[in-house]
Amino acid sequence: IINMFGGSVQYDSVTPAVVTFGNLGRSDLVTSIQIPGCNEAEFQQESCTIDKDALAVLYATIDAVGVVIVIIAYVWLRSFEKAEAKNLNRSTVSASDYTLRVTNIPGDA
C-alpha cells in the first residue's frame, strides 16, 4: 500500500494510513517505526517500535503470500469452472442432444 502523503504527514490516532508503506519515512533518516496504537504498559511489550528493515521484510512477505493465494485461487476457480461446465452440459437438454447426422446417403433415396 502506498500512501500519497509519504512520510511527511504524522498521524496522532490509529488510522489505516499510519501503516501504509509511504509512512515508513526516508531510509536514511528513519531506522525504526513506532507501532500505531501500541501502549507498552497495556500490551506488556518490551518496545512499541520495530526495526524498519524487519517491517519492510514483513510487508514483502505479506505481499508474496497474497500473490500466492491469488494464483492458487485462480487455478482452483479455473478447474472448478471446467468441471461445472461439464456438469451443466450433462444436465441441460438442447436440440443437439436429439440431432442425428446421416452420411453417405445414396443419390436415388
Side-chain angles (χ1 to χ4, degrees):
I1 301 173
I2 298 175
N3 178 8
M4 68 181 196
F5 298 114
S8 63
V9 176
Q10 298 298 320
Y11 298 96
D12 294 330
S13 63
V14 178
T15 64
V18 175
V19 294
T20 59
F21 192 70
N23 281 321
L24 289 180
R26 290 179 41 188
S27 61
D28 57 342
L29 298 178
V30 180
T31 59
S32 63
I33 306 296
Q34 179 74 24
I35 299 172
C38 179
N39 182 349
E40 293 172 4
E42 183 178 341
F43 295 109
Q44 299 176 357
Q45 298 288 329
E46 291 179 17
S47 173
C48 282
T49 60
I50 187 169
D51 184 43
K52 188 172 148 181
D53 292 335
L55 186 60
V57 169
L58 177 66
Y59 278 8
T61 304
I62 291 172
D63 285 347
V65 168
V67 168
V68 168
I69 289 171
V70 167
I71 289 171
I72 290 171
Y74 171 74
V75 169
W76 174 80
L77 183 61
R78 202 168 90 183
S79 65
F80 177 76
E81 285 183 351
K82 284 181 184 179
E84 188 63 25
K86 288 179 184 178
N87 290 336
L88 186 61
N89 191 24
R90 277 190 255 138
S91 64
T92 304
V93 177
S94 64
S96 64
D97 294 334
Y98 298 99
T99 303
L100 298 174
R101 181 177 179 183
V102 180
T103 59
N104 299 326
I105 300 175
D108 60 350

